Amino acid sequence: MLRLHDTATAQVCPLALRQPGAVSLYVCGPTVYDAPHLGHGRFALVFDVLRRYLIASGLEVTYVSNITDVDDKVIERAHTEGVEPAVLARRYEEVWWTAMDALGVLRPDHVPHATAYVARMVELIAELVARGVAYETPDGVYLSTEAVPGYGLLAHQPLDTLRAGARVETVEAKRSPLDFVLWKKAKPGEPTWPSPWGPGRPGWHTECVVMSLDLLGEGFDVHGGAIDLIFPHHENERAQAVALGRDFAHHWVHNGWVTVAGEKMSKSLGNFTSLDDLLARSDPRAYRLLVVRAHYRSPIEVTPETIRQAESGLARLDELARRFGLADLLATGGPVTSVTGAGEDDLDQAAVARFVERMDDDLDTPAALSGIFELAREANAAADAGHDQPAARAARTAAHLAAVLGLSLRGAQPTVEDPEVLDLMARRDVARAERRFADADALRAELVERGWVVEDAAEGTRVRRP
RNA sequence: GGCGGCGUGGCCGAGUGGUUUAGGCAGGGGCCUGCAAAGCCCCGUACGGCGGUUCGAUUCCGCCCGCCGCCUCCA
């Protein structure tokens, strides 16, 4: 059984399921006001790997991830660009899904949008007011954090220190600096919805409570997101559920930062890096490999150098798939439904067991990945020694386990259509057959110049991209 | 200031109280090859510093140094 770090207890503990055989996950999705950056890519990949692994473990997974399509930033950006907030949100949501598809991230089972849940958020807020834990001010409705038992559970910090750091609000009506806004009363030029407190819009922290409980029900299994969401976002979500007496998430999972040159990547630091840029400049699978080769709670350093290293590793695995003709049995990108495979003899079950053991240990993907590379070496070594059966089994196992992580290896030969290249290849074969090696080398140089790596295979000259 | 994390060989990045090595990338040597490429084999005796616990610590404890994050919208 999978053991996972839980932010609430700060310990690695078995993932206890509400319902045996089924897992419910809620992962905080993006606010769609801009194109996604590397950090968005990481959290999406981390939870995609978790989800895929749970599926491969034989569990029925329900994965919910929201789109925040109304928020200060959306409104602000929409004004800047002179479009309706809804138009802007839709535009960036499309950009989001394009990037997710490129990364091979599975679409969530449910994608709730904040704007579709406003009426239910109003109901929830009204209930909080009725219970006396929320109060109205001239500009909105706030939750009284002091009325919530255990507030600060996720933050792991004494309340007074949180209080000391709380932002200076212009709203003097707030009873405590830690209290947070549930409903924002309308300001001119903003999208609004009706409510008992007049027209306005919901605060950020309410949507996830309403949507997760609606789609997954009380006491759902896992609530995830990046580490920065712990406080205040997840703390505040939890506070609302607790205040209502509803059982909320049982397990909190948070992934670490992406750093650039050792520092947190962020717009304010000016080292912001667009996910689209990365995907355009490198094999999208390289980012998955980079993410998976570090533990999900560790920071990862994304630089041209680390990306290049990941691409080299990927090339090694692709070469394996090519050597063993694995193109046809590689994942289509969909989830692998059984980590042990369909026919047990197909795979090296001892290696699978090691993989499972490592993954079960708080998703130790770096160790799991090292096992895949070891299988690659074993497969090549066995094949070099003429032991075809064990070699093929090791190679299949490597590709299969990579697919469990969502990494599809490319076993297909690149199809060369350029007649010039085909001609150079053919002429080189003739030259080599006639042992005119100087000519053959000159032809190889020409192919290299065109950006190909040239290899001599049994069937003759073979080319691939570096 | 409060809270927390980290510091591993050229780079990335796991892990462990000692008796066997993470793994990848890069580099060196060898095998293979007409030469290469790919692949395989071999190679670096790494764990921030100072003490302590211990028969023995990179791994436990303390202190110090350095780096980073959170406490505020943020993936």
Side-chain angles (χ1 to χ4, degrees), chain A residues 100-346:
Chain A
M100 291 303 105
D101 289 347
L103 282 172
V105 169
L106 300 170
R107 293 286 180 112
D109 296 308
H110 302 280
V111 183
H113 288 64
T115 51
Y117 271 87
V118 176
R120 303 182 85 150
M121 290 192 240
V122 168
E123 284 172 29
L124 181 140
I125 295 164
E127 204 181 328
L128 288 167
V129 172
R131 281 177 174 246
V133 292
Y135 55 91
E136 188 177 355
T137 69
D139 76 328
V141 179
Y142 289 80
L143 188 94
S144 175
T145 51
E146 276 161 17
V148 178
Y151 189 78
L153 175 82
L154 296 175
H156 290 293
Q157 287 198 42
L159 286 188
D160 53 341
T161 69
L162 291 175
R163 229 173 262 128
R167 184 165 58 160
V168 179
E169 292 282 349
T170 50
V171 187
E172 297 304 326
K174 261 171 67 166
R175 292 178 192 166
S176 157
L178 284 179
D179 292 355
F180 58 92
V181 68
L182 300 167
W183 186 260
K184 297 182 177 186
K185 292 185 182 175
K187 289 180 199 152
E190 294 185 349
T192 64
W193 288 260
S195 86
W197 316 282
R201 61 193 167 90
W204 179 38
H205 308 305
T206 301
E207 62 180 89
C208 292
V209 185
V210 171
M211 299 188 294
S212 61
L213 289 175
D214 180 56
L215 292 164
L216 296 172
E218 284 197 41
F220 63 92
D221 298 308
V222 178
H223 194 133
I227 194 168
D228 58 319
L229 295 181
I230 294 174
F231 190 89
H233 185 52
H234 286 166
E235 188 76 56
N236 289 349
E237 284 183 36
R238 184 180 163 278
Q240 293 168 79
V242 169
L244 289 171
R246 305 231 181 114
D247 191 12
F248 204 48
H250 284 182
H251 208 106
W252 295 88
V253 179
H254 294 98
N255 68 275
W257 292 114
V258 170
T259 60
V260 173
E263 290 194 325
K264 172 186 169 182
M265 181 199 67
S266 73
K267 273 191 156 175
S268 55
L269 289 172
N271 57 0
F272 174 85
T273 309
S274 144
L275 184 57
D276 289 339
D277 284 351
L278 180 74
L279 296 177
R281 288 176 200 175
S282 61
D283 188 326
R285 297 175 305 154
Y287 194 38
R288 183 181 288 264
L289 187 70
L290 190 59
V291 163
V292 119
R293 77 176 187 164
H295 187 83
Y296 73 92
R297 287 188 282 119
S298 301
I300 58 168
E301 181 79 3
V302 180
T303 63
E305 170 64 10
T306 59
I307 285 290
R308 200 199 51 69
Q309 288 186 3
E311 283 188 303
S312 296
L314 205 52
R316 180 168 163 77
L317 295 177
D318 280 347
E319 181 58 31
L320 179 84
R322 204 156 60 128
R323 177 173 188 179
F324 289 91
L326 297 173
D328 49 338
L329 62 81
L330 294 175
T332 54
V336 174
T337 52
S338 168
V339 71
T340 54
E344 290 209 346
D345 294 343
D346 274 3

Side-chain angles (χ1 to χ4, degrees), chain A residues 52 329-331 333-336 372 398-409:
Chain A
R52 286 173 183 269
L329 62 81
L330 294 175
V336 174
I372 292 173
H400 177 258
L401 295 178
V404 170
L405 299 176
L407 268 178
S408 307
L409 307 187

Side-chain angles (χ1 to χ4, degrees), chain A residues 68-91:
Chain A
T68 300
D69 55 355
V70 60
D71 154 277
D72 290 350
K73 288 205 198 76
V74 174
I75 294 166
E76 211 173 286
R77 183 73 178 253
H79 280 325
T80 310
E81 300 198 8
V83 296
E84 286 301 309
V87 171
L88 182 98
R90 223 173 296 127
R91 181 196 303 163

Side-chain angles (χ1 to χ4, degrees), chain A residues 50-68:
Chain A
L50 171 61
R51 177 187 185 185
R52 286 173 183 269
Y53 182 63
L54 291 168
I55 293 171
S57 302
L59 296 161
E60 193 182 309
V61 178
T62 307
Y63 188 95
V64 179
S65 192
N66 65 298
I67 294 284
T68 300

